[in-house]
Structure formats: structure tokens, C-alpha cells
Amino acid sequence: METIKGFVENIIYRNNDNGYTVFEIELEEEDLTCVGSFPDISVGEHIELTGEFVEHRVYGRQFSAKSYKITQPEDAAQIEKYLGSGAIKGIGPALAARIVKKFEDDTIRIIEEEPERLAEIKGISVRLASKIAEQVMALRQQRNAMMYLQQYNITTNLAVRLYGEYGEKIYEILSTNPYKLSEDLNGIGFKTADEIAQKVGIERDSRFRIQSGILYALLDASSDGHTFLPEEELTNRAGELLGVSKQAVEDEYMDLIVEHKLVRKQDETGDKMYSTVFYAMEHNVAVMLKSLCYDCDEEDDEIEKSLEKIQKNLGIELDEMQVKAVKNAVGNGVFILTGGPGTGKTTTINTMIKYFSEKGLDIRLAAPTGRAAKRMSEMTGREAKTIHRLLELNGDAEGAGGFGRDEDNPLETDVIIIDEMSMVDIALMNSLLKAIVPGTRLILVGDTNQLPSVGPGSVLKDIIASGIFSTVTLNKIFRQAKESDIIVNAHRINNGEPVELGKKSMDFFFLKEGNVQRTIEDTIKLVRDNMPKYVNASSFDVQVLTPTKKGELGIENLNKKLQKALNPPSKDKREKEHGDKIFREGDKVMQTKNNYQLEWEVCNDYGIPVEKGLGIFNGDMGIIREINTFSEQMKIEFDDGRFVDYDFKLLDDIEHAYAITVHKSQGSEYPAVVIPLFGGPRMLLNRNILYTAITRAKQCVVLLGNPGTFVDMETNVSQQKRYSGLVDRINEL
């Protein structure tokens, strides 16, 4: 690392979102271009930089700064440059020259300690002198705070946020309760706060630390799908996380309950511990569902007459359960339709839409993901949106999601149909129901045998399990669907019936492999060479699905192999190295967490934006179209032609998607799916995952590897326990 000092002469580029700045500094011998994260520097300031000299392939020699500090101008000439740079509002170059001529090297001290003396200079009133002094002191205080925070290895971006939130109170907060940061600011979790706390000397058994750790343990459990934890499990998790005794954890429960940060629910199975947020969500969802649950005044004879007419016009014939489903959808405020592939859900939904349309009712269609919404549009011939777009997503300064449609501005429609409900978590369901007024019919469609939502809760299963809401399950496989071995075998797997792996088929294949290496080689060959021709699609449309992240057949290793085969290095393709990954123009990638603030736009053939919006979500897939190392951004094209400019600081949220986990494939459908199987953790090799993986294929599925692994998955009915209390909240009402 090297250290240089200079005068900020010119700011060439600044990204206001991440503080990345390209600027020139004036050294004694030369002007030098510097790059780094500098959200608060201005032209005219004197700065000390620590970093290293680098050679940019386009822009030549630069200084890449890792840290910095603002220094005081050292003589009258430097002071004049600083004051005349525009850093202090109200002072230009001419006025700066007069001030320095009057006070010379003592100028800064005069401004800070005797600001009234500035009024001795022509053109400066007492009021302006006071404003100048206030600005100088504010800048000094902010920079002192930055230096204070940097000694605890707090990044520049985070330091700016902390000072913006707390101002001069930041010193007291860090010295007494740094865990307050994780409560007040999105994006600052317990671990970050705990690292800061240890550096400032907070004791490990501090009550602030233990309480924050308990809440973090609940938040961490939500990433596994839980909305609560049994008290004993929470105590064990928090104690292990914090390195304190169980008694120390239990001693803090009552204070957290009194402060309304924790909710304890007691029943015959024991005490259940909720964070207040998730308990409120479950309670609100139960109350709002109950308010929508009413009997619609429709005569059965009239419904049947309408259905006969619709079937004749559409050239279809509904079976008994499909007719029942349509009648119940018409007759109830809340209705649930479930069933596996090939059981006629699409035909039933289209019949419902036709019925409501002929009655003059307004209908909205939505699904949790962009791919699922696109598929719903193709099935129905009507516009379907993601639930986020239906609710008119907006973002706030902290990156949290908010919606334009809520209880104060509800959706103005008569019927709402939501597909792929197994993917909807408790938070999204809570937001959706807030925007629906009583009198609106809500129809929920899904397959309860699919994997549960990535987010916390078991919304669809809990609603059905409550027994309160009208539900119809379609289980008859129709004649046309029986011609597909994908559908037939999916049902056999779900019913626990053996699948004949050696059967000749047009759309379901199992290739026996002798070892893992051969499995990988044939996976690449299938994706690159065989499957695109077979299903008339590109190799990027063929999706590799695997149960695991780690191991030779996990996504981390498979993505490296597939990237090398499908998008090898080229002098025409720019790259960005990030951690152990190399992102390359043309790569297939996936967003791995919700980002409610990312802006996207859809452009026409002339490159003119025709639609804009907010939000890229966990599971959204796209292609890297451009990498710009100067602006430190990456342009990614997502589904439906949505383009997003990604800052390099967001690359932790992106991973390659040539191979993805089965969990991340929920709600998606691909022309062809390749599933390599050769052992792995038992908890990930179960029937639920196998069923979900196979049903992602539209035209063809190829499984390859060890047949014994397939049989193990088919017979393993165990699933990871998911703690969810929505069914209890519904039944309490």
C-alpha cells in the first residue's frame, strides 16, 4: 500500500448510489487520476489517499484508493484553492482571494473560532459570515465522524449512512449500544453490529447484545422458512450464536415481550416464539382472509346454464371436479384450486375467466415471479403480472419494498386470480391482502406438492389445512396429458409408485452413469449439443437443475464447467472477477435476493425506454449484456426484456445460472431440463424435490447418474420441518 497527498482538482465521474468516484488530484509533479469510493469529497479539498497504482487497459495509470482522509490546507495558496472551489456555499474564487489576502495562513482558524471577523471583508455580511462558519464546522464534524468510524473498519458507504441517520449522536450509540444500528437501518444485521460492538469494547454478556442476538436468531430462522421457533430451539440457537448460557438467553425474553419485540404463543405443543413482525403478518393475513370469505348470491341452475354454453363455445368438456371448482369459485369470496400437472387446472381457470367476463366483471391475473406470470399469460391469453407489479411496487431510501396499492389505495377489480400460490410467502400474502377490499373474489391456484416458498411461511398449505375456505383438488389426469411421461411419472412419484427408468419415451429419459465425472461430461454434452436440437431451443433455454449447492454436482462446480463450455473466454467479451467467480459478457445469471430499489427499463427496437419500474427479485434470471469497468457497472437483460444497470457492489447478489437449485426453479418452466443425480445429503434428496424438478420441464426431461439415487429420492418422504402458525391464527378467529 502507498500513500499520496493532493488537491482535488476535478471530479470526472461519480455514482451517487454507491459513492464510486473518478477524480483528478494535483500532486507536486503531476495530475493523477484516482478511483475509489468517495461519497463526500468535493473539488478543492486536500486529501490523503492510501491504495495502490494500477494500469487500466483503456485509461492508463491510475491510483486505486482503499481508504482516505481529508486534511487541512497547509498554506495560504491551498486555503484559497479550497475556499474558491465551491466547497463552501457563498464563496467563489474572487471572494476566497480577498479572505485569504486578509487573514493569510490563519484563515481556517478565523472561520472556525472568530467567524464574525469575516464581516471585515467587503461583500461579506454578518449573516453570510455566520453561514460560512456553520458550513465549515458541519464539514469538520462529519469528517471527524468519518475518521472515528473508519478506525473500527466501518466502510465509507456505511459511515455516510450512519452519520446521516444519527449525526453527532453516533458517538454515544456506538459506545453504549451498537446493536441499535441493526434495529434502525435496513441492510445492517446483527453480525455487522456485533463486529462493531466488539471493536468498541461492548461486553459479550451485555443485555443489548443478547437481546439483539435473540431477534437475529429468529430472523435467521426465517431464511429457512420459519415464522416462529419453539422456545427451546430459539434458546439453543441464540445461546450458540452468542456464546452465552441458556439461562442468560431466557432471562431476556420477558423484557423483549414487554417491549413488543417478541411474542410468545402457548398451546399444547409448547411455547412458540415469534418476532413481532411475523406474528403480526400471520394475524393480519388471517383477519383479512376472513373478511373476504363470504357466500356469493349465485343460483346453481344459472351457473350450470352458463357453463354449458361456455363449454360448447370453447369446445371443451369439464369433468365433475372441474365443474365443482368453477361453481365454488363463483359462489365464494375466497376459493382455492389445487392439483398436479395435467389435471386440467388451466382449462378450469380459463372457464372461470370466461364466466366472469360474460358477467361483466373485471379480472386481474398475477403470479409470484416474472416467468410464472409470463406462463399464465400464455395459458389464458390475457395479461398477467407479477404480484409486485400488480401492487405497484415502489422503493424507499433504505431499500425496503413498499407498494402503491394497499388498504388506502386498494385494487379496483372484481376478481383476482393468483397462480403458483405455493411460492407465495407470508410477507407477500400480507401485502396482497391489504390491497383487496371485501366484495372482491380471490381465487388461489397452486400445487401443494411443489416445494414451499423460499420466504417464510406455508401460506397455501396452512390456508387449506384450516378447513375454513372452499377448496377443490383436481386429481384426474386427462387423456392428452397421459401421453406425456413427464406428467405420468410426476404423478407416480407423488403417489409413491415406482417409475420404470428403462422405458422408451419421447420426453422422459434416464441415462445411467458409472461415476460423477462422466455424469458432468454428459450433462455438458446434453445442454450444449443434444437437447437444443431436440426441443428446438437454444442451449441457454435448457436448464440444469440440481438439489445441492456444494459438491461436484452442486451448482457452484457445475456452473464453472458449464460456463467454460457454453460461454468460454474471448477477447471480444469483457470480464469482471468477483471473489471466486468470473462474470463474462454473455453469461446466464440469477438474482439471489430481493432488491426493491433496482430500476429496470424495457426499450423498443430503437433503444428508447417504453416502460420503467422497480424491483428485481430472488430467482429472476437474465443475461449479462455489457460490463463497464470504468463506471463499475454491469448491464443485465432479465425476462421480458427488462434491462438493469448493476453496480459492481451488488455482485454478491448475482450468481451464474447455467445450473440452479431445484428450489430456485419454482414457478418456472423450461423447454428442457437436465437433472444430474449421484448421491448427496438425504435431507435434499427427497420426493418433494424430485417431483418439483421433473415438473419444471415442458417438452423433455433427462435425468442422468445413479439410478439408486433416483429411487432413494422417490421413496424419501421426509421434508425439512417448517414452523408456520397461519393455520392457528385462522382457527383462532
Side-chain angles (χ1 to χ4, degrees):
M1 290 287 184
E2 297 186 58
T3 299
I4 61 173
K5 285 184 179 182
F7 166 81
V8 180
E9 190 170 42
N10 179 33
I11 293 179
I12 301 170
Y13 169 83
R14 172 174 284 156
N15 185 318
N16 291 321
D17 292 330
N18 63 11
Y20 177 78
T21 307
V22 180
F23 62 98
E24 289 181 328
I25 64 170
E26 181 184 288
L27 305 175
E28 290 183 6
E29 308 86 9
E30 62 176 331
D31 289 347
L32 179 67
T33 300
C34 302
V35 297
S37 183
F38 304 94
D40 64 330
I41 65 164
S42 304
V43 171
E45 293 182 317
H46 287 260
I47 189 168
E48 181 178 301
L49 304 170
T50 301
E52 58 188 359
F53 287 95
V54 296
E55 191 70 28
H56 193 280
R57 67 178 186 179
V58 176
Y59 303 106
R61 184 169 179 263
Q62 297 179 341
F63 190 80
S64 178
K66 306 303 179 187
S67 64
Y68 74 100
K69 63 181 179 181
I70 307 295
T71 60
Q72 285 280 26
E74 296 175 351
D75 55 36
Q78 290 183 358
I79 294 171
E80 184 177 334
K81 272 190 175 182
Y82 170 60
L83 293 179
S85 67
I88 307 298
K89 291 180 181 178
I91 301 180
L95 188 54
R98 295 204 300 273
I99 294 173
V100 174
K101 185 178 180 180
K102 171 75 173 176
F103 299 115
E104 300 181 329
D105 291 354
D106 204 27
T107 298
I108 296 297
R109 187 197 66 78
I110 293 291
I111 292 174
E112 291 180 349
E113 298 177 10
E114 302 177 73
E116 68 279 357
R117 290 192 59 193
L118 292 174
E120 298 173 14
I121 297 168
K122 185 178 180 181
I124 299 182
S125 64
V126 174
R127 184 178 177 186
L128 178 57
S130 176
K131 284 187 175 182
I132 291 170
E134 287 173 6
Q135 289 182 69
V136 170
M137 288 304 297
L139 287 170
R140 170 69 64 84
Q141 289 171 351
Q142 180 176 357
R143 283 162 190 157
N144 287 343
M146 294 297 162
M147 296 304 107
Y148 170 78
L149 294 170
Q150 284 181 13
Q151 69 178 314
Y152 300 116
N153 294 329
I154 295 173
T155 65
T156 302
N157 284 341
L158 179 54
V160 171
R161 284 187 66 197
L162 295 180
Y163 190 77
E165 176 73 18
Y166 301 114
E168 293 295 291
K169 292 181 181 178
I170 188 61
Y171 302 103
E172 178 187 352
I173 289 169
L174 287 193
S175 62
T176 58
N177 180 20
Y179 300 97
K180 182 174 173 57
L181 307 183
S182 62
E183 296 179 22
D184 294 348
L185 299 176
N186 287 324
I188 299 178
F190 168 78
K191 290 185 176 180
T192 300
D194 200 35
E195 287 175 6
I196 296 171
Q198 290 180 37
K199 287 166 186 167
V200 300
I202 301 295
E203 297 294 331
R204 290 178 60 81
D205 60 355
S206 159
R207 63 182 294 268
F208 294 124
R209 180 173 186 266
I210 295 173
Q211 289 185 8
S212 185
I214 290 169
L215 297 177
Y216 173 77
L218 280 173
L219 179 64
D220 187 53
S222 72
S223 66
D224 293 326
H226 307 306
T227 58
F228 72 86
L229 285 176
E231 182 174 328
E232 184 177 357
E233 186 168 341
L234 175 59
T235 302
N236 290 336
R237 286 196 186 202
E240 185 176 339
L241 168 73
L242 296 163
V244 299
S245 68
K246 292 182 180 180
Q247 188 61 51
V249 174
E250 292 170 352
D251 287 346
E252 299 301 329
Y253 284 152
M254 189 51 66
D255 281 349
L256 286 170
I257 292 169
V258 170
E259 293 171 13
H260 302 291
K261 295 178 181 178
L262 200 65
V263 174
R264 175 187 274 131
K265 293 295 292 184
Q266 297 174 317
D267 60 25
E268 64 278 1
T269 64
D271 289 357
K272 301 173 180 178
M273 307 298 277
Y274 282 88
S275 70
T276 307
V277 172
F278 283 123
Y279 180 78
M281 284 182 183
E282 285 191 349
H283 176 75
N284 292 343
V285 166
V287 170
M288 291 185 289
L289 278 173
K290 193 73 187 297
S291 73
L292 296 175
C293 188
Y294 63 95
D295 293 332
C296 301
D297 201 13
E298 299 278 352
E299 293 292 335
D300 204 53
D301 290 344
E302 290 298 318
I303 298 175
E304 288 187 357
K305 286 180 183 179
S306 294
L307 284 181
E308 288 175 9
K309 181 181 175 183
I310 291 170
Q311 290 179 81
K312 185 177 180 180
N313 290 340
L314 296 178
I316 60 173
E317 186 176 344
L318 302 179
D319 74 358
E320 180 183 351
M321 293 305 292
Q322 288 176 307
V323 170
K324 181 181 178 182
V326 178
K327 285 183 177 180
N328 286 14
V330 172
N332 292 276
V334 177
F335 171 69
I336 299 99
L337 175 67
T338 70
T343 57
K345 291 200 300 292
T346 298
T347 301
T348 307
I349 293 169
N350 283 332
T351 305
M352 293 175 187
I353 291 171
K354 186 71 173 173
Y355 180 92
F356 291 128
S357 295
E358 291 184 353
K359 296 296 181 182
L361 302 182
D362 183 69
I363 307 163
R364 303 286 184 91
L365 308 181
T369 67
R371 282 178 173 263
K374 183 179 180 181
R375 215 170 90 219
M376 194 179 190
S377 292
E378 293 168 350
M379 292 187 311
T380 62
R382 298 171 66 100
E383 181 188 24
K385 298 181 177 181
T386 64
I387 297 174
H388 291 88
R389 290 178 73 180
L390 178 72
L391 299 179
E392 299 175 11
L393 174 74
N394 54 56
D396 62 27
E398 295 295 340
F403 295 100
R405 295 290 183 172
D406 53 22
E407 58 268 47
D408 297 321
N409 184 30
L411 294 164
E412 297 173 2
T413 189
D414 302 304
V415 182
I416 296 174
I417 303 177
I418 307 294
D419 198 11
E420 295 289 354
M421 266 300 300
S422 63
M423 297 180 65
V424 176
D425 61 28
I426 192 68
L428 187 56
M429 190 64 175
N430 184 49
S431 296
L432 174 65
L433 292 176
K434 283 181 179 180
I436 302 176
V437 296
T440 304
R441 286 184 178 86
L442 177 61
I443 299 170
L444 309 177
V445 183
D447 182 352
T448 54
N449 294 306
Q450 299 283 352
L451 288 168
S453 59
V454 175
S458 297
V459 174
L460 181 62
K461 284 186 176 180
D462 280 2
I463 292 173
I464 294 171
S466 72
I468 301 295
F469 306 98
S470 175
T471 303
V472 170
T473 302
L474 304 179
N475 48 34
K476 174 186 173 183
I477 306 177
F478 283 86
R479 181 179 57 81
Q480 187 176 355
K482 286 181 179 178
E483 297 174 5
S484 166
D485 284 323
I486 294 174
I487 291 174
V488 171
N489 287 335
H491 283 275
R492 293 182 71 85
I493 290 167
N494 197 37
N495 295 331
E497 301 169 5
V499 173
E500 187 181 342
L501 297 182
K503 177 187 174 184
K504 290 186 178 180
S505 173
M506 296 295 290
D507 64 357
F508 187 98
F509 304 92
F510 192 99
L511 305 180
K512 184 179 178 180
E513 303 286 4
N515 56 60
V516 172
Q517 188 56 41
R518 184 61 186 271
T519 302
I520 294 173
E521 291 170 1
D522 283 351
T523 295
I524 294 170
K525 187 176 179 182
L526 282 164
V527 175
R528 183 186 59 201
D529 305 325
N530 304 111
M531 298 309 297
K533 299 173 186 175
Y534 192 73
V535 298
N536 191 28
S538 74
S539 58
F540 276 40
D541 293 324
V542 179
Q543 187 60 56
V544 177
L545 300 180
T546 177
T548 63
K549 290 184 177 181
K550 305 292 184 181
E552 290 185 280
L553 289 179
I555 60 168
E556 293 178 2
N557 185 53
L558 284 176
N559 272 315
K560 289 178 181 177
K561 305 280 188 183
L562 287 161
Q563 182 195 34
K564 184 177 179 181
L566 300 177
N567 190 32
S570 166
K571 61 183 177 63
D572 299 323
K573 295 179 179 179
R574 283 168 288 192
E575 298 179 349
K576 167 61 181 174
E577 188 172 350
H578 183 75
D580 62 347
K581 299 184 182 74
I582 295 176
F583 292 107
R584 184 175 299 130
E585 290 177 340
D587 271 342
K588 183 178 179 181
V589 293
M590 172 183 279
Q591 173 78 5
T592 60
K593 61 173 65 172
N594 291 342
N595 187 319
Y596 299 100
Q597 277 197 305
L598 271 177
E599 296 182 3
W600 53 262
E601 62 181 25
V602 177
C603 298
N604 61 18
D605 293 340
Y606 302 100
I608 299 172
V610 293
E611 186 180 2
K612 293 185 178 183
L614 289 173
I616 297 294
F617 304 103
N618 189 355
D620 284 354
M621 294 172 67
I623 304 292
I624 298 175
R625 296 303 185 193
E626 182 184 340
I627 294 175
N628 188 327
T629 54
F630 180 78
S631 64
E632 296 212 329
Q633 286 186 321
M634 183 183 292
K635 187 180 289 293
I636 300 177
E637 181 182 3
F638 285 92
D639 295 331
D640 302 327
R642 294 173 298 150
F643 283 88
V644 177
D645 288 325
Y646 264 78
D647 292 332
F648 283 177
K649 71 170 185 176
L650 296 175
L651 293 187
D652 283 339
D653 301 346
I654 292 288
E655 64 184 25
H656 291 100
Y658 299 100
I660 64 174
T661 62
V662 178
H663 281 86
K664 289 294 178 71
S665 72
Q666 289 172 266
S668 298
E669 189 176 67
Y670 312 96
V673 166
V674 177
I675 308 170
L677 298 173
F678 219 103
R682 179 171 170 76
M683 64 179 291
L684 292 176
L685 299 179
N686 61 47
R687 180 183 297 174
N688 199 212
I689 285 178
L690 182 61
Y691 173 81
T692 300
I694 287 171
T695 54
R696 298 308 91 204
K698 187 175 182 179
Q699 296 172 246
C700 183
V701 60
V702 180
L703 301 103
L704 67 164
N706 183 357
T709 303
F710 181 95
V711 174
D712 288 344
M713 293 183 75
E714 190 182 17
T715 55
N716 179 12
V717 295
S718 64
Q719 293 182 40
Q720 185 177 358
K721 174 74 173 174
R722 179 170 284 218
Y723 297 115
S724 171
L726 178 59
V727 64
D728 297 325
R729 304 290 82 74
I730 293 171
N731 287 327
E732 284 172 357
L733 297 174

